[in-house]
Amino acid sequence: MKALISIATAGLLLLQPWITYDPGPGSDTSARGSQIGDSGENLRAEIESRRIKVSGNGVRGGKGDGFRMKRPCWYEPFLNAEDMHRFFTEGRDAANRARIDEESFRAFTQQFKDKLGQKGLWWTPGYNKGDPAGAACWADLQQFLFVPPGVTPPSGITIEQLAELARAAMTVPEQTVKLNPDAKSFVNLPTHVWLEGIGETRRSVTAEIPGVMSVTLVATLQDLKIDSGTTPDRAEVTESGCGTAGKPYVKGGEFSCGVRYLRSSIDQPRETYPLTVTAVWPVEVQGDVVPFQFAPVELGVTRDVPVGEIQSNVKPPN
């Protein structure tokens, strides 16, 4: 593993808040997924940590719902006294740092030397830098904290916080909304609704500190919700047969998933109705872990639907 270390212009040695690992195939030390929050901001779950690994098919390849952790920073256990001292004092990198500023280097490593022979672990801070409050939260923590065996320091990572990390990293596929009729609908004509491009309907994310604790969250596509984009006097929504991904139009088939618009959209902004279809993915905690409750991941896609009226001319009798 490689430590990312910089020396400030004032001559002080500063440790950056992350260390890059080579976790092996199928693992990832960070979770990145574009998320849209309630206020529309673009959030990105991006965990900076020395120990935490995040993996699973829910980490990438989709979008999240802007989930925010209660506290987006924490202390996590890192190395014992001897390993921490070796980490910063041995090797070519350490020699180069000492050569740049020997006095500052000695002052920096003295804290690790002082703990040699003592039982315990050095704890270091981590945070979700994709959270708007993550960096400020991390800045209030000490860079290094020596903790006796069997003790968790204040703000030390908990299993609940680890579960929140997994939830923040969870993404689901962004679906494509299909309609029939597609280009334009008409008053009283059923508009069938279904989804395409969902792929796997089960997404999982595991967040773990290897050898310490682990939690896995699973999101499973359960159903979809339809918002007609207007009031009930203008549209009737039918969801009885939607299931998990709607019901494609079949000639002669029953209409059980979609919208029947009752009035033209000619008087609406853009002369369309903003139809929104939301896929609902309930989230569960797997395994022998305290069953934390999380809201489902809900991902909506909106399509503008123009609705016209079929005009007919009635010829009077002669």
Side-chain angles (χ1 to χ4, degrees):
M1 53 189 171
K2 301 177 181 178
L4 301 180
I5 296 177
S6 65
I7 298 179
T9 55
L12 298 177
L13 191 64
L14 304 175
L15 180 68
Q16 301 290 348
W18 63 86
I19 287 180
T20 60
Y21 282 78
D22 178 13
S27 300
D28 190 1
T29 56
S30 64
R32 296 177 173 83
S34 180
Q35 301 188 351
I36 305 298
D38 293 338
S39 60
E41 73 272 22
N42 190 15
L43 304 181
R44 179 172 291 275
E46 191 168 347
I47 300 164
E48 295 294 359
S49 166
R50 292 189 173 90
R51 292 290 310 279
I52 295 172
K53 296 180 180 180
V54 181
S55 60
N57 68 345
V59 172
R60 289 192 175 91
K63 284 190 176 181
D65 58 353
F67 178 85
R68 297 281 297 275
M69 300 174 63
K70 297 184 184 75
R71 180 178 169 82
C73 70
W74 57 88
Y75 287 113
E76 58 193 45
F78 187 38
L79 297 174
N80 63 31
E82 285 67 33
D83 288 341
M84 193 72 158
H85 184 260
R86 282 194 295 269
F87 184 83
F88 285 109
T89 59
E90 296 182 5
R92 185 168 56 186
D93 289 343
N96 290 337
R97 295 193 294 271
R99 185 168 57 252
I100 293 171
D101 190 333
E102 184 176 358
E103 184 177 350
S104 293
F105 181 71
R106 280 203 308 269
F108 171 74
T109 56
Q110 186 63 44
Q111 60 186 317
F112 308 120
K113 186 176 181 180
D114 291 342
K115 299 299 181 183
L116 290 175
Q118 296 187 32
K119 293 184 178 180
L121 290 176
W122 283 99
W123 289 57
T124 55
Y127 73 110
N128 180 2
K129 75 175 185 179
D131 191 298
C137 182
W138 173 84
D140 287 336
L141 301 178
Q142 294 177 232
Q143 288 296 286
F144 306 101
L145 198 65
F146 192 74
V147 180
V151 175
T152 298
S155 299
I157 188 80
T158 64
I159 189 67
E160 181 177 7
Q161 202 168 21
L162 200 63
E164 290 181 2
L165 283 172
R167 180 62 177 82
M170 178 70 76
T171 71
V172 297
E174 186 177 14
Q175 68 270 16
T176 299
V177 176
K178 305 293 288 186
L179 306 177
N180 188 294
D182 186 33
K184 184 177 183 178
S185 191
F186 293 91
V187 171
N188 291 322
L189 180 67
T191 300
H192 297 254
V193 175
W194 69 98
L195 305 179
E196 290 185 352
I198 289 292
E200 294 183 83
T201 58
R202 183 181 183 276
R203 306 276 285 180
S204 69
V205 173
T206 298
E208 63 178 327
I209 302 177
V212 180
M213 57 182 171
S214 174
V215 62
T216 297
L217 267 59
V218 174
T220 305
L221 180 61
Q222 178 175 286
D223 59 12
L224 59 80
K225 298 187 295 186
I226 300 173
D227 183 339
S228 67
T230 187
T231 53
D233 63 311
R234 284 177 167 263
E236 295 176 347
V237 175
T238 300
E239 296 177 331
S240 59
C242 287
T244 59
K247 189 173 181 180
Y249 168 77
V250 177
K251 187 176 180 179
E254 179 187 5
F255 174 61
S256 59
C257 184
V259 182
R260 189 192 307 271
Y261 287 102
L262 307 177
R263 291 179 60 182
S264 167
S265 61
I266 191 67
D267 60 345
Q268 298 298 296
R270 299 163 56 96
E271 299 184 1
T272 61
Y273 292 117
L275 171 70
T276 299
V277 181
T278 301
V280 182
W281 300 69
V283 176
E284 295 183 347
V285 181
Q286 275 197 332
D288 188 18
V289 180
V290 178
F292 304 112
Q293 298 296 315
F294 292 107
V297 179
E298 296 192 2
L299 189 64
V301 175
T302 299
R303 282 192 56 176
D304 290 335
V305 180
V307 178
E309 290 184 312
I310 297 177
Q311 303 293 331
S312 61
N313 295 321
V314 178
K315 186 177 179 180
N318 293 330

